[in-house]
Amino acid sequence: MGVATAPPPPTTSKTLQKQYLEAVGAYQYVLTFLFMGPFFSLLVFVLLFTSLWTFSVVYLVWLYVDWDTPNQGGRRSEWIRNQAIWRQLRDYYPVKLVKTAELLPDQNYVLGAHPHGIMCTGFLCNFSTESNGFSQLFPGLRPRLAVLAGLFYLPVYRDYIMSFGLCPVSRQSLDFILSQPQLGQAVVIMVGGAHEALYSVPGEHCVTLQKRKGFVRLALRHGGPPHPGPPAPPPHRGGSQSLSCPLHEGPGAALGAQGELWGPRFHLPHLHLALC
């Protein structure tokens, strides 16, 4: 069975205003992804040495009180997830959501997603917003995209990404979500992680799975194999590898220097890749 949302209008039929709105949506996402976390981290620090220091102190107190919230399901906002700007971002690339199997809401799901890509745009549109109507295609399911736990250490940015339903990809966080009495929890894990993003080469699809079996153990711990119920292919973002231009000679060429510089668990793909 294949059911897809209505396709975005072809570029040739888009008005100038539509193209402008799509560009605004894309730039907003890119700039937020790259700079919102560092900007507010610096702002909170700098304000401590100004007459507005009370703002930083109040927020830091709030941050201390709220520290464990990301590991306890977060703070999802349907208002944020339904904003019109995400539909503009969807149409810019475009991003589609194709249903190939029925996922029943009386079960929980661990979904291994691929490929990671540079900025996970397709996964954000499909699972963290309603731009492609996930709730209409899969009624009763609550998707949660699991991302790097370090992102939730960044002031203000942590609150922003929690509003999309994002959660840390940690055992504590995922166990909490899948242990909830309300069924229909769908945890989406990009199993290749940031390491897989280094292999973002147009026309090639590389899956990073070696020593990454935690998502399988997670599913078994909570009552069944990944994709319990009817067989279904894992979420896949076709074409996402073509959204970047490699600045090195083929996949994996920069892994050596990157690993020596940042260590085996943390990578900055932006050092080697740039948006076309």
Side-chain angles (χ1 to χ4, degrees):
M1 176 180 62
V3 179
T5 56
T11 305
T12 53
S13 67
K14 295 178 182 178
T15 65
L16 185 61
Q17 181 185 21
K18 173 63 175 173
Q19 295 180 47
Y20 171 76
L21 291 174
E22 289 179 8
V24 169
Y27 275 111
Q28 178 271 339
Y29 175 63
V30 171
L31 294 176
T32 300
F33 180 91
L34 294 176
F35 300 116
M36 185 175 180
F39 171 78
F40 279 103
S41 299
L42 182 62
L43 180 63
V44 169
F45 176 76
V46 169
L47 287 181
L48 288 171
F49 303 95
T50 70
S51 59
L52 301 176
W53 61 270
T54 52
F55 288 97
S56 289
V57 171
V58 169
Y59 182 80
L60 290 174
V61 171
W62 160 254
L63 186 62
Y64 175 79
V65 173
D66 194 58
W67 188 254
D68 288 332
T69 299
N71 289 319
Q72 297 175 351
R75 229 182 349 262
R76 176 170 161 152
S77 168
E78 295 303 324
W79 182 77
I80 291 289
R81 289 169 53 86
N82 283 278
Q83 288 298 301
I85 194 169
W86 308 125
R87 293 191 290 275
Q88 305 301 336
L89 174 65
R90 171 203 67 188
D91 293 345
Y92 178 82
Y93 285 101
V95 177
K96 297 180 182 179
L97 177 59
V98 179
K99 181 177 181 179
T100 59
E102 198 67 48
L103 300 181
L104 304 177
D106 59 351
Q107 302 181 67
N108 290 335
Y109 298 88
V110 176
L111 307 175
H114 160 78
H116 185 285
I118 300 300
M119 292 184 296
C120 314
T121 311
F123 296 138
L124 176 110
C125 288
N126 287 333
F127 300 114
S128 300
T129 76
E130 288 295 329
S131 60
N132 271 327
F134 182 93
S135 295
Q136 282 72 46
L137 287 176
F138 302 98
L141 292 189
R142 288 174 59 85
R144 295 178 182 271
L145 186 61
V147 298
L148 189 67
L151 296 176
F152 295 90
Y153 299 156
L154 301 174
V156 181
Y157 187 62
R158 68 189 291 274
D159 303 285
Y160 178 69
I161 61 177
M162 273 196 291
S163 68
F164 291 92
L166 271 62
C167 65
V169 62
S170 65
R171 177 169 180 169
Q172 178 186 357
S173 171
L174 301 180
D175 280 343
F176 181 91
I177 293 171
L178 294 174
S179 299
Q180 295 302 298
Q182 180 184 2
L183 298 177
Q185 308 293 336
V187 174
V188 183
I189 302 175
M190 293 169 283
V191 292
H195 187 277
E196 188 176 82
L198 295 173
Y199 289 84
S200 297
V201 177
E204 298 185 19
H205 295 271
C206 300
V207 185
T208 303
L209 279 178
Q210 188 175 13
K211 298 181 180 180
R212 295 174 184 266
K213 307 299 189 299
F215 70 103
V216 177
R217 291 194 293 270
L218 175 70
L220 293 174
R221 211 164 47 241
H222 289 276
H227 294 296
H236 181 271
R237 288 187 307 139
S240 63
Q241 308 298 77
S242 300
L243 298 181
S244 59
C245 295
L247 300 185
H248 53 81
E249 297 296 328
L255 285 176
Q258 183 83 340
E260 292 175 8
L261 182 61
W262 297 104
R265 297 299 299 272
F266 183 70
H267 301 281
L268 290 180
H270 302 289
L271 293 176
H272 303 286
L273 298 158
L275 291 178
C276 297

